[in-house]
Amino acid sequence: VQLQASGGGLVQAGGSLRLSCAASGNIFDIIRMGWYRQAPGKQRELVAVATNDNTINYTDSVKGRFTISRDNTKNTVYLEMNSLKPEDTAVYYCHARIATIGRERSVYWGQGTLVTVSS
């Protein structure tokens, strides 16, 4: 199983970006899929996650600004980020808990994608 993330970049404060992450491989079920981020000198934190029973959670600092969505037909999760702030600057990591066709459940990480918000 692989996670391929895309969509990071440089944006001015108040701007928007959309991150995408597609899962591929020996997938039976994507139990949960979402995004973490890690800013310089800080611990990695959960940003948003969507489960296969349609439960969605956001960290408080992005509520009302970020929207996570899943396209289960494409095994893809999106993160629409609006009203970006300099403090959103971080490397964003796609994360998924996946059951393979052999019913093994594991956690997978995509490569990070850098989001830089200038003031």
Side-chain angles (χ1 to χ4, degrees), residues 71-91:
D71 184 340
N72 294 324
T73 65
K74 298 180 180 179
N75 289 336
T76 298
V77 65
Y78 304 96
L79 186 67
E80 189 75 34
M81 305 185 293
N82 298 315
S83 302
L84 282 160
K85 304 176 180 180
E87 51 264 43
D88 295 316
T89 295
V91 177

Side-chain angles (χ1 to χ4, degrees), residues 15-79:
S16 299
L17 282 175
R18 188 191 196 209
L19 304 182
S20 300
C21 177
S24 61
N26 190 28
I27 298 169
F28 172 74
D29 184 30
I30 300 178
I31 300 161
R32 53 183 278 154
M33 200 169 186
W35 298 90
Y36 283 70
R37 67 185 179 186
Q38 188 165 18
K42 295 188 177 181
Q43 290 188 332
R44 191 173 296 190
E45 66 170 351
L46 175 68
V47 178
V49 64
T51 67
N52 58 358
D53 64 355
N54 298 317
T55 299
I56 290 177
N57 286 298
Y58 298 97
T59 191
D60 286 345
S61 63
V62 308
K63 287 179 180 178
R65 299 188 298 121
F66 291 11
T67 302
I68 189 170
S69 60
R70 284 176 60 168
D71 184 340
N72 294 324
T73 65
K74 298 180 180 179
N75 289 336
T76 298
V77 65
Y78 304 96
L79 186 67

